[in-house]
Amino acid sequence: MRKLTIIGGGFAGLTAAITAAEAGTRVTVHEAHRTPGGRARTAEGTYRTNEGPHALYAGGPHWTWLKQRGLLGPLAPLPPAEGLRFRFHRGGALRRTPPLGLLRQSLRTADKAPVDLDFRTWATGLAGERAARVAAAYAGVALFHHDPGALSARFVQERLHRAAAVPPEAHYVRGGWGELIERMVARAWEAGVRIETSSRVERLDDLPGGEGPVIVATSLPAAARLLDDPSLTWESGRTVLLDLALRSRKGDPFVISDLDEPGWIERFTAQDPSLAPAGQQLIQAQLPVGPDAAKADGVAHAERLLDLGFPGWRERTVWRREAMSQGRTGAVDRPGTTWRDRPAVDRGDGVYLVGDQVAAPGVLSEVSFTSAVEAVSLALRADHLAVRRA
Ligand SMILES: Cc1cc2nc3c(=O)[nH]c(=O)nc-3n(C[C@H](O)[C@H](O)[C@H](O)COP(=O)(O)OP(=O)(O)OC[C@H]3O[C@@H](n4cnc5c(N)ncnc54)[C@H](O)[C@@H]3O)c2cc1C
């Protein structure tokens, strides 16, 4: 293929750009923001926050791809003592021991859960109501939804397996995901990709003619506007994000996982002290909320957990930030649907759609990755056929 244009320079756009350039294609990326990275950017300044807690899952296809190219970079390993500071909120109290028995009951089947049934009904039939509730809440860490039990049993089962894997799949990029993005940008440049930042594309027709296929690697709502196709929608989560810097105190937990209702608080400096100044701890929390809930409800949920697990946190707070993340945490699948039912990658006429809410398998950013690789492969194949026909 001679030329390829990519709109959007986030994780998906950069994956597509590197893949295509490595196959000998001349690639141009248009990124609306002044720096690439999208939702994988890390804040500049004193506190190196990702947009919400971000983990790289080692079992995903992106892991191997990044590793093969030396792009994983230094990871931030968790000191063993910190792993012992995992806390579980259950029955209104904070506990040190995981409800392994309950989780195992929901995980024990070798069968794939049904697509058509909701997770609550399926897991209750398998392991009882209490185990089903705990398992759904725990899976929340990988799907950012206030009611995982209402989603497709197959969809939640996969995320539960990934989130509860031993040894843990979650790994942390030292310095935040922004560092990973910088390495991907450097690799893209090396491979000859042209990245134009502050370059928002309003309409596909505005692109110069004869530039070959186009990969739209924006969020799904942005793609719907760009392609003037309101049918491009898929459900995602609604999650309150709370970031805190606290003066350090010995004995603070590493994680609080809420098993009464989905919620997750993580002390990121436990594995990567470089994220905050010496003597301070950086905490990032995600509290999924329903469609009618206010940001204050999620914040109140976080504060209840902090009161239980982080003594004196209010007096120790030196910096704080709150946000509502709406539709930004990837696709969730309702009963009766799988990733195959989401908006297709191939839009026809040499236009391809990638991102974390499209028809590709995986967890969270893995969907962006897999769809990006798929789009490049489809575009290359189409070009190859066109050349053969010519
Ligand atoms: C709170 C939160 C926590 C998360 N946690 C995890 C996690 O733990 N693990 C994990 O794997 N994933 C996680 N994710 C998901 C992950 O961040 C995303 O899946 C991934 O970053 C999406 O990448 P993308 O390239 O598909 O989209 P984006 O990052 O949204 O990139 C799209 C890019 O397109 C650009 N753009 C938009 N419109 C235009 C236009 N018209 N012209 C040009 N450019 C345009 C945007 O500026 C942006 O840079 C999390 C996400 C959030 C919000």
Side-chain angles (χ1 to χ4, degrees):
M1 193 204 304
R2 290 125 299 177
K3 285 183 183 173
L4 172 72
T5 303
I6 299 174
I7 306 174
F11 188 58
L14 292 172
T15 300
I18 294 168
T19 307
E22 285 177 351
T25 307
R26 277 164 58 199
V27 183
T28 304
V29 177
H30 295 274
E31 166 52 51
H33 202 265
R34 69 187 163 77
T35 52
R39 283 168 275 164
R41 271 193 289 266
T42 296
E44 289 158 14
T46 312
Y47 303 108
R48 307 280 292 153
T49 48
N50 301 312
E51 185 177 347
H54 263 77
L56 265 189
Y57 287 87
H62 58 342
W63 181 271
T64 315
W65 187 92
L66 291 165
K67 195 172 177 186
Q68 279 167 349
R69 289 162 180 76
L71 300 176
L72 270 182
L75 297 165
L78 188 67
E82 297 287 4
L84 300 174
R85 298 210 177 97
F86 216 113
R87 300 288 179 266
F88 302 89
H89 182 245
R90 198 155 63 84
L94 222 52
R95 298 161 199 273
R96 283 168 191 268
T97 44
L100 279 180
L102 289 179
L103 277 173
R104 269 193 207 119
Q105 283 175 46
S106 312
L107 286 164
R108 70 180 168 191
T109 176
D111 296 338
K112 283 199 172 162
V115 168
D116 291 340
L117 212 56
D118 65 85
F119 181 81
R120 187 176 297 114
T121 306
W122 173 75
T124 301
L126 187 78
E129 193 271 332
R130 215 155 60 99
R133 188 153 28 87
V134 161
Y138 190 74
V141 65
L143 44 77
F144 295 85
H145 191 271
H146 69 289
D147 187 11
L151 303 174
S152 164
R154 173 81 57 87
F155 176 79
V156 179
Q157 183 196 38
E158 185 193 350
R159 276 129 195 94
L160 182 60
H161 274 281
R162 302 284 304 273
V166 180
E169 271 204 37
H171 285 69
Y172 305 90
V173 180
R174 188 182 290 280
W177 275 39
E179 299 288 325
L180 176 67
I181 291 298
E182 277 182 24
R183 288 191 282 276
M184 290 178 82
V185 167
R187 173 76 197 116
W189 279 112
E190 243 170 57
V193 175
R194 220 169 92 198
I195 302 179
E196 299 199 356
T197 52
S198 304
S199 174
R200 176 177 294 280
V201 177
E202 300 292 351
R203 289 158 8 109
L204 290 200
D205 294 347
D206 294 344
L207 294 170
E211 293 286 290
V214 176
I215 293 182
V216 178
T218 66
S219 66
L220 193 58
R225 287 192 294 277
L226 203 56
L227 299 176
D228 195 19
D229 183 351
S231 76
L232 295 180
T233 59
W234 198 260
E235 191 176 349
S236 177
R238 190 164 180 264
T239 295
V240 172
L241 303 174
L242 176 66
D243 298 337
L244 284 177
L246 303 183
R247 273 192 292 278
S248 298
R249 173 192 159 275
K250 228 171 165 208
D252 274 345
F254 161 50
V255 162
I256 300 179
S257 167
D258 195 344
L259 302 177
D260 289 341
E261 53 178 324
W264 187 271
I265 297 186
E266 185 161 344
R267 183 164 54 87
F268 270 72
T269 34
Q271 61 267 26
D272 188 355
S274 77
L275 301 177
Q280 294 182 23
Q281 300 290 317
L282 178 70
I283 285 146
Q284 295 208 272
Q286 59 167 84
L287 298 307
V289 290
D292 302 322
K295 187 166 85 177
D297 298 319
V299 171
H301 182 186
E303 292 185 342
R304 284 194 300 277
L305 297 176
L306 287 162
D307 284 341
L308 288 170
F310 289 81
W313 71 270
R314 289 170 205 271
E315 297 72 39
R316 291 195 280 135
T317 300
V318 287
W319 174 80
R320 174 176 176 137
R321 189 173 65 171
E322 296 166 8
M324 174 71 91
S325 173
Q326 173 119 12
R328 294 176 64 76
T329 45
V332 297
D333 297 339
R334 289 275 169 185
T337 61
T338 71
W339 60 264
R340 291 184 176 81
D341 300 298
R342 299 179 201 151
V345 171
D346 191 346
R347 311 306 304 172
D349 292 333
V351 176
Y352 302 90
L353 179 63
V354 306
D356 60 4
Q357 280 173 285
V358 309
V363 172
L364 296 165
S365 66
E366 293 168 20
V367 181
S368 293
F369 171 84
T370 309
S371 57
V373 173
E374 167 78 357
V376 171
S377 144
L378 289 170
L380 289 174
R381 208 177 311 151
D383 189 67
H384 180 66
L385 289 176
V387 169
R388 278 194 31 197
R389 271 199 296 270

